[in-house]
Amino acid sequence: MATEMSVRKYITANEAVAQAARLARVDVVAAYPITPQTSIVEKIAKYIADGEMDADYIKVESEHSALTACMGVRMAGARAFTSTSSQGLEYMHEMLAYAAGGRYPLVLVNVCRSVALPWSIWGDQQDAIQQRDTGWIQIFTETGQEALDMVLQAYRIAEDHRVLLPVMICLDSFIQSHTEELVQVPDQKTVDSFLPRYDPVVTLDVDNPYSISVGGFGKHYARWREEQQTAAEKAGEIILEVGDEFARIFGRHYGGLIEEYRCDGAEAVLVAMGAFTGTAREVVDEMRDEGKNVGLVKVRAFRPFPVEPLRKVISPVKAAAVLDRDCSWGYEGALATDMKAALYGLPNPPAILNFIGGLGGADVPPERMKYMLEKALAADRGTTPHLEFIDR
Amino acid sequence: MKLKDIAKEEFYRASYGCAGCAAVLMVRLTIKALGKNSVYVVPANCISTVSCYYPQAPFFVPFTVMAFAATAAALSGISAGFRRRGREDIHVVGLSGDGGTADIGIQALSGAIDCGNKFIYICYDNEAYMNTGIQRSGLTPYGAATSTTPSPCFENRPKKDMMRIVAAHDIPYAATACTSYPLDYMEKVVKASQVNGPTYIHILAPCPTGWGFPPDETIEIGRMAVESGMWHLTEFENGEFRTTYTPKRQRPVSEYLATQTRFRHLSPEQIAAIQKEIDAARD
């Protein structure tokens, strides 16, 4: 049976996620393979085959069906898990919106990868960003440990009756998905104390029949959508609440909706999401050693967007360099746009410099992060220079 | 099954269906056959359109709307979820139209049958996308005019043979039916519910609005479809097809075609060609 003790293991983030699905006592897994997600579902299939995980695996014919099947599992009152990447996430798009609008408390792990064309199996975050408006809570992680911990937390957040929204845990392809790092895999008993069995609000109950997903016209439609927005905003508080409780039990805390790294007295900050923040910490340390007042803001929750925490940390700085591994074509990086909107109304706001980088698996090495921060240090408050592609 | 065995209780009532709608009749018969211990998935189609808008609730059993292409995947997931909760006794039923089955939903249907979870997938076939205004589907028969195949450019391809498609998956049980033969249909629904695996029932549901006949002739038109050989009542079980009902009299197809405005434009030569196809299939 499952490992009884909490153990430290050298594993990839993909394996860490598979361990999280096992520990979350998922009833049904429905998934379709795609690089670089495959090793997650392979591991889960192996756990089930070896009797280490008590779950059913639905071998669906597409991602569209994978997410639909997970919704079906939820309708029956059980817990589901799925995972995908890139074209798979794109193929799910219709059902992503369906699941969020229908308030299905699902958990999906997306291993962020470029989308075609040009066709590429390598990493960036365009896939996840393109699902921004489907209504999912989106959380970006930096390490295998954070990915594991956030999958466990995701079930708590999604299933919280004040939220009832699906949660997408994002990790970066290859940098996380295929890189082994030391991960603390918690024991089942402790996880059970943190994550109780699913307590559904409504199911397909033959003794108490409901229409659980229906159509809505006019005012009914608008009212439903307003409640969805209220829940999505409320999710911000619940993410904090769940994160604090997780820290009390497991001793690991990730800072809430954003994590500030050496932002005290910073003149310029780098703002980024995902695994690149690991490199950015080192760059910040080096530049601090050189006497330059720089810091890092890691955005963990992209939806709900952490407006207040960002205003608080960004408003005192002179400039923020925002690194987007995505682009809203014809405008700019999605994170940059949201940052600017979050700072609206501040008198003499910080400069926002948008850098598009790390596309299609391109690395963003320390010297390029330095370059972005140096540019930010030299920028004047209140300016928003044209975006710059840095993968050259 | 006898007429007196049919439940008096209604589990589906007060829909916005058109007068003479056979799809509405199909829903009533299905739930009567299965009883309260059943749940329903309804994708985009006439049934969801006439019965799912809050606060309207014609279903007196649990039901959910579902995305057009997703019916069978939802059935698979619900079935797995119930199994995990020890509720394999609950019948998980999809009510999908012809386009939702033979066109946009065919991939999920194929995948779900292949997965092997227990469910009953019902395709009610009114031979076009009716709730969006009578556009042709993969199950529109040769010769029919629709709003996307208007006369004289009527549908020029035969109806897809869904039974052969599902049979090619080695499905444990599949059947065809027609709303004009309610006992035959309900017996097949009950039989499907006793199979521990995926099942498929394809029921012809004449549509007065889309086919162009008076609403009080729905039952008669369905009978004529069977009696003319345009439709057959069959079963597929243990790898074999069999006919469950052979009409006592065979009508020429021209009689059936003449009852509906969608075939009005057909020439005697075209009608003869359809008759020839039917005769060849009979032999």
Side-chain angles (χ1 to χ4, degrees):
Chain A
M1 263 320 283
T3 318
E4 293 301 322
M5 304 280 286
S6 171
V7 287
R8 297 189 85 191
K9 284 183 162 179
Y10 265 109
I11 53 174
T12 62
N14 274 6
E15 186 170 350
V17 161
Q19 291 279 5
R22 174 182 67 77
L23 289 164
R25 292 193 186 276
V26 165
D27 289 296
V28 180
V29 177
Y32 187 80
I34 182 169
T35 301
Q37 155 265 33
T38 36
S39 58
I40 297 176
V41 293
E42 286 167 2
K43 286 283 176 200
I44 289 174
K46 185 89 168 74
Y47 298 156
I48 295 171
D50 292 347
E52 289 174 20
M53 181 171 173
D54 176 23
D56 283 6
Y57 191 119
I58 306 183
K59 302 171 287 285
V60 288
E61 88 302 332
S62 73
E63 290 87 356
H64 194 279
S65 288
L67 191 57
T68 306
C70 288
M71 291 169 66
V73 172
R74 283 303 201 190
M75 285 186 232
R79 193 174 274 163
F81 175 83
T82 192
S83 173
T84 190
S85 257
S86 181
Q87 307 304 128
L89 191 67
E90 302 276 300
Y91 198 44
M92 267 183 195
H93 180 78
E94 179 189 21
M95 300 318 294
L96 289 171
Y98 225 90
R103 307 292 295 275
Y104 286 84
L106 297 167
V107 174
L108 177 154
V109 170
N110 184 58
V111 186
C112 296
R113 182 190 124 176
S114 320
V115 295
L117 282 168
W119 180 67
S120 163
I121 61 157
W122 304 100
D124 60 42
Q125 295 167 348
Q126 190 71 35
D127 56 354
I129 296 299
Q130 288 188 179
Q131 312 310 323
R132 181 190 64 185
D133 299 335
T134 55
W136 283 59
I137 293 166
Q138 291 186 307
I139 295 171
F140 287 77
T141 64
E142 179 182 346
T143 63
Q145 185 74 63
E146 190 178 5
L148 184 154
D149 292 348
M150 288 317 295
V151 169
L152 297 178
Q153 293 182 44
Y155 281 100
R156 278 286 303 272
I157 297 160
E159 292 171 9
D160 191 301
H161 289 191
R162 295 165 292 178
V163 178
L164 294 174
L165 285 171
V167 179
M168 185 185 300
I169 300 298
C170 297
L171 52 106
D172 278 321
S173 57
F174 302 104
I175 304 172
Q176 281 171 277
S177 67
H178 287 61
T179 307
E180 290 190 354
E181 21 175 350
L182 207 48
V183 174
Q184 188 79 39
V185 180
D187 65 283
Q188 187 67 65
K189 208 175 151 199
T190 314
V191 172
D192 288 346
S193 71
F194 169 75
L195 179 62
R197 291 279 180 175
Y198 177 38
D199 170 29
V201 174
V202 62
T203 64
L204 292 169
D205 182 354
V206 291
D207 299 320
N208 187 20
Y210 271 96
S211 304
I212 68 173
S213 299
V214 293
F217 277 139
K219 279 182 186 168
H220 292 135
Y221 184 92
R223 167 102 190 271
W224 180 270
R225 288 302 200 182
E226 193 178 336
E227 284 183 10
Q228 183 184 341
Q229 168 67 4
T230 305
E233 288 181 15
K234 183 79 184 169
E237 284 170 45
I238 310 305
I239 293 168
L240 296 180
E241 210 178 282
V242 170
D244 289 346
E245 192 188 326
F246 187 89
R248 278 196 297 279
I249 296 174
F250 297 92
R252 290 185 294 278
H253 196 266
Y254 296 96
L257 305 179
I258 64 169
E259 185 203 338
E260 299 166 34
Y261 183 71
R262 303 190 76 169
C263 290
D264 279 351
E267 286 176 66
V269 291
L270 182 68
V271 184
M273 302 197 292
F276 279 6
T277 52
T279 312
R281 286 171 204 276
E282 308 239 335
V283 171
V284 165
D285 287 347
E286 276 178 40
M287 291 180 73
R288 282 277 184 174
D289 289 347
E290 293 163 12
K292 288 167 179 158
N293 289 331
V294 296
L296 165 71
V297 175
K298 170 176 145 185
V299 175
R300 300 184 65 241
F302 183 58
R303 284 295 179 275
F305 196 68
V307 173
E308 288 310 321
L310 281 170
R311 275 177 82 98
K312 193 159 160 271
V313 66
I314 305 289
S315 53
V317 305
K318 194 160 70 87
V322 182
L323 174 57
D324 266 291
R325 293 192 78 184
D326 64 88
C327 188
S328 174
W329 312 107
Y331 191 19
E332 61 185 354
L335 183 56
T337 301
D338 286 350
M339 286 283 300
K340 289 177 190 174
L343 301 181
Y344 182 79
L346 281 181
N348 196 20
I352 301 290
L353 295 82
N354 187 203
F355 298 94
I356 308 288
L359 298 187
D363 197 12
V364 178
E367 55 270 26
R368 231 160 278 170
M369 290 191 184
K370 263 185 205 164
Y371 164 81
M372 289 184 266
L373 278 165
E374 295 283 6
K375 272 205 128 174
L377 284 168
D380 293 326
R381 271 187 172 274
T383 57
T384 57
H386 189 254
L387 64 85
E388 187 177 335
F389 275 72
I390 55 161
D391 298 332
R392 304 233 174 162
Chain B
M1 186 178 276
K2 300 221 164 51
L3 272 175
K4 65 178 175 55
D5 299 330
I6 298 176
K8 294 267 187 310
E9 192 174 357
E10 292 293 342
F11 300 99
Y12 179 80
R13 54 175 187 255
S15 80
Y16 295 127
C18 303
C21 175
V24 164
L25 176 59
M26 174 280 300
V27 181
R28 284 179 57 211
L29 297 176
T30 308
I31 312 178
K32 277 173 184 277
L34 293 173
K36 281 181 180 168
N37 204 35
S38 54
V39 303
Y40 295 82
V41 174
V42 187
N45 60 31
C46 282
I47 291 304
S48 59
T49 308
V50 303
S51 38
C52 84
Y53 280 99
Y54 180 84
Q56 180 205 17
F59 281 90
F60 286 75
V61 285
F63 118 106
T64 182
V65 294
M66 189 35 69
F68 213 171
T71 311
L75 299 178
S76 208
I78 294 167
S79 173
F82 277 144
R83 186 169 64 240
R84 290 289 303 180
R85 295 190 56 220
R87 291 307 307 265
E88 281 160 294
D89 59 304
I90 298 172
H91 306 301
V92 181
V93 189
L95 303 174
S96 181
D98 45 285
T101 300
D103 296 341
I104 197 168
I106 197 166
Q107 173 180 321
L109 175 61
S110 172
I113 296 171
D114 195 32
C115 260
N117 285 311
K118 177 179 157 65
F119 59 78
I120 307 170
Y121 186 106
I122 293 167
C123 167
Y124 75 89
D125 181 5
N126 49 27
E127 302 196 319
Y129 293 89
M130 291 312 183
N131 70 306
T132 46
I134 321 166
Q135 294 85 20
R136 64 81 62 189
S137 79
L139 293 180
T140 300
Y142 170 84
T146 68
S147 58
T148 49
T149 52
S151 181
C153 299
F154 54 79
E155 174 60 28
N156 62 354
R157 294 277 303 148
K159 197 176 170 74
K160 280 191 202 177
D161 190 340
M162 282 304 300
M163 279 296 275
R164 275 165 62 204
I165 291 171
V166 298
H169 290 70
D170 264 338
I171 192 166
Y173 180 78
T176 60
C178 173
T179 42
S180 302
Y181 301 84
L183 292 180
D184 174 83
Y185 170 62
M186 291 169 80
E187 278 170 6
K188 287 166 176 171
V189 171
V190 170
K191 202 165 174 182
S193 73
Q194 291 159 352
V195 174
N196 188 22
T199 57
Y200 175 86
I201 299 175
H202 191 129
I203 178 166
L204 187 72
C207 171
T209 312
W211 295 9
F213 63 81
D216 60 350
E217 287 177 15
T218 300
I219 302 302
E220 183 55 22
I221 298 285
R223 283 197 192 119
M224 287 177 81
V226 172
E227 289 169 359
S228 66
M230 278 290 273
W231 189 243
H232 303 278
L233 306 185
T234 64
E235 273 183 335
F236 175 81
E237 211 177 358
N238 303 318
E240 306 267 343
F241 286 98
R242 71 181 187 92
T243 302
T244 57
Y245 173 78
T246 308
K248 287 173 191 69
R249 59 165 177 162
Q250 288 180 359
R251 294 171 184 257
V253 77
S254 56
E255 285 183 22
Y256 172 71
L257 301 174
T259 58
Q260 302 158 53
T261 57
R262 62 177 176 157
F263 295 120
R264 189 178 278 163
H265 53 270
L266 292 177
S267 67
E269 293 73 29
Q270 287 159 339
I271 292 170
I274 295 171
Q275 185 66 60
K276 209 175 154 193
E277 290 276 329
I278 290 171
D279 294 343
R282 272 207 188 102
D283 301 336

